[in-house]
Amino acid sequence: LSPPPLSPPPSSPSPSPSSFTSTPLEVPTKEELRQRAEQEKLLGNDAFGRGDLDEAEAHYFQALHLAPPEYFVERSVYLNNAAACFFRKNQFAYCAQYATAALDLNPSYSKALARRCSAFEKLDELDRALTDAKAILELQPNDTWAKKVVERLEPMVAEKQEKLKEEMISKLKDLGNTVLGKFGLSLDNFKADKDPETGGYSLRFQR
């Protein structure tokens, strides 16, 4: 037996244009967007506390997406929180980048300065880390963390700068000897004498 033929479905009357009612879209206010962004931040903080850095990062980025530009203080917090995620992931260059973005919005944000300072130290950019630590002390003179960082980094930066200076002098001396060598001379043929009265130096040729 063959199956019965398909019958067309019963027809229904076409709706008239007047039957459609347009519902206006509700556009959230800036304050409502700020509140939603703050909720995302709280969710991010919860995820960060649980050690779920990817989820925390996603919530902080969503907060940035929601918060209107004029809420620059809140946005700087979201950026710095994202920087904290990158620091925990050992992505120190990204951490410094996002902390810098937070400081662009809020230059006196000491937590962002501390975050970038720590990232710079991990990147072995000790002079920049020291600059940030000193900037924190200008904002908060009694900050014990920044004081300890300055005490630790100042001799390290001075030592590093001294090594760089010695390397530069050595390279300049090699260059000078290369040029003077064409004339059978070297920098050893010149001696710098310091004038005790003026503190200046004069060059004296010697064989």
Side-chain angles (χ1 to χ4, degrees):
L1 295 175
S2 60
L6 295 175
S7 58
S11 60
S12 57
S14 301
S16 62
S18 60
S19 64
F20 292 104
T21 57
S22 60
T23 303
L25 294 176
E26 293 186 4
V27 179
T29 65
K30 292 182 178 180
E31 176 58 22
E32 288 172 338
L33 288 173
R34 186 196 69 81
Q35 292 177 3
R36 292 183 190 178
E38 283 294 290
Q39 185 62 31
E40 289 291 335
K41 183 195 77 171
L42 293 176
L43 292 172
N45 291 349
D46 180 69
F48 188 89
R50 291 186 278 103
D52 193 337
L53 301 179
D54 290 334
E55 181 183 339
E57 184 182 314
H59 284 299
Y60 295 142
F61 286 152
Q62 181 64 15
L64 279 169
H65 174 72
L66 289 169
E70 53 264 42
Y71 291 101
F72 62 90
V73 173
E74 288 84 351
R75 292 177 64 84
S76 68
V77 172
Y78 309 150
L79 286 164
N80 191 50
N81 287 2
C85 294
F86 289 122
F87 189 89
R88 290 278 291 271
K89 291 180 177 181
N90 296 327
Q91 296 176 333
F92 304 118
Y94 282 123
C95 176
Q97 178 182 345
Y98 276 79
T100 298
L103 288 165
D104 288 341
L105 294 177
N106 188 6
S108 61
Y109 189 12
S110 59
K111 286 187 178 180
L113 281 168
R115 188 85 62 205
R116 190 174 68 175
C117 173
S118 299
F120 280 152
E121 187 171 359
K122 291 290 187 179
L123 294 168
D124 200 32
E125 298 185 31
L126 302 184
D127 52 338
R128 301 178 75 178
L130 179 59
T131 298
D132 280 348
K134 289 181 176 180
I136 294 173
L137 289 179
E138 290 180 3
L139 296 168
Q140 301 174 354
N142 296 323
D143 191 299
T144 55
W145 180 86
K147 285 182 178 179
K148 291 180 180 179
V149 171
V150 170
E151 291 174 0
R152 185 179 72 253
L153 291 185
E154 274 189 331
M156 296 171 65
V157 170
E159 180 183 0
K160 189 174 182 179
Q161 289 176 342
E162 185 64 26
K163 287 182 179 179
L164 289 174
K165 184 174 71 174
E166 290 175 358
E167 290 176 2
M168 182 183 67
I169 291 175
S170 177
K171 290 179 180 179
L172 289 173
K173 186 174 181 180
D174 290 342
L175 178 62
N177 285 333
T178 299
V179 175
L180 292 173
K182 297 178 181 179
F183 304 95
L185 300 172
S186 74
L187 288 177
D188 294 332
N189 296 116
F190 297 89
K191 184 178 181 181
D193 296 322
K194 184 176 182 179
D195 189 328
E197 295 182 1
T198 64
Y201 288 86
S202 60
L203 287 178
R204 176 168 53 85
F205 178 77
Q206 61 182 11
R207 286 289 184 183

